[in-house]
Amino acid sequence: MLQAVLGSVAQPARASLRPAASPLASLSQWLNGNVNGNTFQVPAWLGPILWAAPKKKTSHSKKRMRASNKGLQQKENITACPACGNHKLMHHLCKHCYGDIKQQAKNMPAA
């Protein structure tokens, strides 16, 4: 009876390019947001965060103030090598002594 009342008005104005499977399946996809196979949708509250950008250029002064604590630190673990007296870091080999040991190892005959 509804079709008789509405007549040709119930026909869609544009034909779909995909063959329609069933009206209930397409309705459930539309309700779940799975239109055209897309299952992931960005929440509305997350949109502005994803497009976040600074409103103004960060000034030279602000950049330098932020980077002011990135300078070189003072070394406090420098000691004298007990063998040769050159400066070396604690718990490290002396560069001078290492060079001597390396040279002696090269001069040793192969066993």
Side-chain angles (χ1 to χ4, degrees):
M1 178 172 154
L2 182 62
Q3 189 175 9
V5 172
L6 294 177
S8 64
V9 178
Q11 299 283 334
R14 184 176 69 154
S16 175
L17 296 177
R18 291 188 309 175
S22 73
L24 291 177
S26 62
L27 180 63
S28 67
Q29 283 182 347
W30 182 77
L31 290 174
N32 294 331
N34 189 6
V35 180
N36 297 330
N38 294 334
T39 57
F40 177 75
Q41 296 211 355
V42 178
W45 60 269
L46 191 57
I49 295 171
L50 293 177
W51 292 99
K55 291 193 182 283
K56 294 192 177 189
K57 179 181 175 181
T58 305
S59 69
H60 179 76
S61 172
K62 292 283 184 185
K63 284 188 278 190
R64 296 292 290 179
M65 281 192 281
R66 190 173 59 240
S68 66
N69 58 351
K70 293 183 180 178
L72 295 174
Q73 300 295 321
Q74 193 74 2
K75 293 276 187 179
E76 297 179 2
N77 59 345
I78 298 176
T79 60
C81 175
C84 65
N86 286 329
H87 297 294
K88 72 172 191 80
L89 292 175
M90 267 187 216
H91 309 292
H92 288 257
L93 287 175
C94 172
K95 291 180 182 179
H96 180 74
C97 294
Y98 176 73
D100 290 344
I101 294 169
K102 189 176 174 183
Q103 190 66 27
Q104 288 174 4
K106 282 184 179 180
N107 294 338
M108 289 179 66

